[in-house]
Structures are given as structure tokens and as C-alpha cells.
Amino acid sequence: MRIVGLRKRYREVVAVDGIDLEVAVGELVSLLGPNGAGKSTLMDLIAGVLRADAGEVEVMGHAVARQPMAARAALGVVPQDIALYPDLNARENLLFWGRMYGLRGERLERRTGELLDLVGLAGRQRDRVGTYSGGMKRRLNIAAALLHRPAVLMLDEPTVGIDPQSRRAILDYVQELNATGTTVLYTTHYMEEAAELSDRIAILDRGRVIALGTHRELTAIVGEHDRVTLELGDDAADADAAFVDLPGVHHVSAHDGRLELLASHGARLLPALFARAAERGIAVRSATLRQPDLESVFLHLTGRALRDDRA
Ligand SMILES: Nc1ncnc2c1ncn2[C@@H]1O[C@H](COP(=O)(O)OP(=O)(O)OP(=O)(O)O)[C@@H](O)[C@H]1O
Ligand SMILES: [Mg+2]
């Protein structure tokens, strides 16, 4: 898959701001970015459901703008919003989507059976999808995207808001599919998933790829800085100001009742952090010290946390 100079704006918001990205055949690339980074817009542009303002996308050598049918045939899309009929059962949903892809008869029946097995829903295939849990719906949505055996599979945050077993199962199918030759573009805002799955990770922020590489290459950007997380509860909101000037602290960001700090020699910094917290009357519930990870990379590059909802 090849993306060159891709742009899309919605009135005043530039959702995709000049993206270049190549994904090799058989590669698994994650798009990691916070809310509003442009992940879903990028996927819609690749899928050809949105028209780009500029730039080009090729899927398996087919230009999405000029050869939409061929590009679409090569692509399986698992959208962020579930696209299933709640009044039909799992089998009927797959038969419906299969016919949309031009599959018929015995071939469609066989493929439907295979995919129900793959996503562990064979036993529930006669139940209305409206009665399924979120995780079951997600798994069925993945099966629907695989009916036509696409060479490239794109998934948009497929594990958000579902139970841990379904999440694990989804990560496993994605890895299996990739191991058997499917090229995968996997969108997420969970750095653990990107770290586990990917050959390479593209970090997306405000419509741009701000970093691209293997997990090792990306964490090397941060260098020797550790990440320190302080759980503060209700005190977190304005507490970042209390720590920014400590020697060795490079970034501080507050969100969800916690502070994330990037610091050289995090272990040496801890006593100073606790002393400062005590001085300012800030109660620390817990402190965690970590080696550089993708969250640190994002913090380092943007000064914000990946899950910072205020950004
Ligand atoms: N249909 C639309 N009309 C106007 N603005 C839009 C539309 N769709 C997306 N945007 C804006 O474009 C930007 C990128 O949105 P997009 O949905 O692509 O982000 P995302 O990375 O998928 O976020 P999330 O993690 O929340 O799914 C955001 O600022 C969003 O508000
Ligand atoms: Mg999205």
C-alpha cells in the first residue's frame, strides 16, 4: 500500500495534513494516535469512501481514485463503528456481506462457516446479532471484512470497549492473518497493542505522521529518559506546574488523575518528586517508573500524553 501527499480538510479542520506512508506486502503497520489525530479519516480515504483533497492512495498497485473496484477488492475494512444488521443472525449477516462482495452459493456458505469458526461464533451463529455483546459484534465485523479474502486488512480501533477475552482473541487473529500473508494496517490509541503487533508503527498526531519506525527505533528517539507516572486522584488537574522546574524533568502532562513525566534518571528523581509533592500538599497514591515506551515517545514529540483528552 502506498500513500503519497494525502490531504483532507473538513471546513476549518485539517484532518489529514499531508501523509506519506508505504506499507510493504505482508507487513503489519499500526497507526497510533490520540482522539482526533485523523486515523479514521485516513482509513476512509484509503477505503475510497472519502475523496481526498490532494494526494494518492494505491492498494496492491491499484490507485483508489482511478481503479476503485480493484482497490476495494484487495481491501478488507473493519470500521470503527460496527456495521451489522441487529435483526439478522451472525450467519445471515455474513451471507449478506458476502453477496455484496459478489460471493454466491456453495463458496459463500463454506467461507461463512470458516469465518464463524475463526472468530469463535459458530455456536452462536443462529442468534440475532442484536443480542450479542460488544466483543462478539466486533469479532463478527472482522469476519465480515475477511469474506472476500482481502490481501490487505485495515482495522479501526477494533478493541475499544470490549471484554479482555475478545480483545485477546482479536489480537490473535490479526497476528495469525498477518503470519499467513495478509498485509495489515491496524489503528489504535493503545500503545501496548501497537508495541505487541507491529512490524512498524506510524505515530499520528493532528493529521501528520510525526514518527515512523520499529518499536525499538521509536523508543530510541526518547533516548535515556524514563517515564514516571504519579497517581494523584483529584489533585492531578493543576499539579503539573508543581513539578516542571525540577532538575531532570523534561515534560509533564496531567490527565485522568495522573501525571506523566519524562525525566533523565527517573530513579534518582523520585525522592525530589516526593519532597516537592509533600511541600505543595499533593497526595501521591502511587508512583511508577518505566523505561521509554511509545507513550514516552509521544510525550517527547508533542508534550502531550497519548490519552490526554484535553488536547
Ligand atoms: N465528518 C466530519 N466533519 C467535520 N470534521 C470531522 C469529520 N470527521 C472528522 N472530523 C475532524 O477531523 C479530525 C480527525 O478526526 P478522525 O475521526 O479522523 O480522528 P481519529 O484519529 O479517528 O479519532 P478517534 O480516536 O476519536 O476515532 C478531528 O478533528 C475531527 O473532529
Ligand atoms: Mg477514529
Side-chain angles (χ1 to χ4, degrees):
M1 169 151 53
R2 219 163 65 91
I3 299 169
V4 183
L6 204 61
R7 272 175 208 286
K8 176 73 189 176
R9 89 185 281 152
Y10 296 108
R11 295 174 184 277
E12 70 280 9
V13 179
V14 182
V16 169
D17 192 10
I19 289 189
D20 299 294
L21 180 66
E22 267 192 62
V23 180
V25 172
E27 196 176 23
L28 197 164
V29 172
S30 289
L31 292 172
L32 176 68
N35 292 130
K39 304 181 296 294
S40 297
T41 304
L42 177 58
M43 292 223 158
D44 284 349
L45 293 169
I46 296 169
V49 296
L50 262 187
R51 258 179 113 87
D53 298 331
E56 259 207 281
V57 180
E58 269 179 22
V59 180
M60 299 303 283
H62 308 292
V64 171
R66 290 186 302 279
Q67 302 152 283
M69 298 305 279
R72 237 168 258 178
L75 197 61
V77 181
V78 182
Q80 188 163 11
D81 299 317
I82 301 270
L84 297 167
Y85 291 98
D87 289 329
L88 300 181
N89 68 34
R91 182 172 195 85
E92 291 161 346
N93 263 286
L94 291 185
L95 293 174
F96 171 82
W97 286 111
R99 285 185 207 109
M100 298 281 285
Y101 286 118
L103 298 171
R104 297 281 184 276
E106 178 60 26
R107 253 183 86 209
L108 176 55
E109 291 285 334
R110 206 172 43 237
R111 186 70 181 142
T112 297
E114 275 170 23
L115 288 169
L116 286 167
D117 282 336
L118 172 79
V119 298
L121 290 173
R124 294 287 302 269
Q125 60 178 287
R126 306 281 174 192
D127 297 344
R128 276 182 60 233
V129 165
T131 67
Y132 280 18
S133 71
M136 292 166 73
K137 286 181 196 160
R138 277 275 167 230
R139 278 143 59 197
L140 187 59
N141 226 21
I142 293 174
L146 293 171
L147 280 156
H148 61 302
R149 300 180 190 278
V152 181
L153 180 64
M154 276 198 317
L155 306 100
D156 195 352
E157 305 207 46
T159 61
V160 169
I162 63 174
D163 60 283
Q165 283 97 320
S166 287
R167 181 179 188 190
R168 187 65 257 161
I170 287 172
L171 296 177
D172 288 347
Y173 321 139
V174 168
Q175 280 175 317
E176 266 168 48
L177 286 162
N178 180 244
T180 51
T182 306
T183 305
V184 179
L185 191 60
Y186 186 93
T187 296
T188 183
H189 66 268
Y190 297 127
M191 57 150 190
E192 303 85 1
E193 292 187 354
E196 176 186 341
L197 293 175
S198 319
D199 295 315
R200 287 187 305 150
I201 299 155
I203 301 185
L204 214 65
D205 187 46
R206 297 179 175 171
R208 293 168 187 252
V209 174
I210 58 169
L212 172 68
T214 62
H215 185 256
R216 186 182 286 265
E217 285 163 354
L218 293 182
T219 51
I221 296 173
V222 186
E224 297 298 303
H225 297 168
D226 298 316
R227 176 155 74 92
V228 180
T229 307
L230 297 181
E231 295 279 352
L232 301 178
D234 299 336
D235 288 349
D238 301 311
D240 39 353
F243 301 97
V244 276
D245 64 319
L246 286 177
V249 170
H250 295 270
H251 287 285
V252 188
S253 138
H255 66 110
D256 297 339
R258 63 172 85 110
L259 280 189
E260 298 284 1
L261 300 99
L262 275 191
S264 35
H265 308 296
R268 264 189 254 158
L269 176 70
L270 284 175
L273 280 178
F274 284 118
R276 180 60 63 86
E279 227 169 76
R280 304 283 167 97
I282 297 167
V284 178
R285 297 180 184 174
S286 77
T288 317
L289 180 66
R290 294 185 188 81
Q291 302 292 303
D293 57 14
L294 293 170
E295 182 78 49
S296 325
V297 177
F298 194 81
L299 200 58
H300 177 83
L301 293 174
T302 68
R304 284 173 286 125
L306 256 178
R307 278 166 248 187
D308 191 345
D309 295 327
R310 304 170 312 164

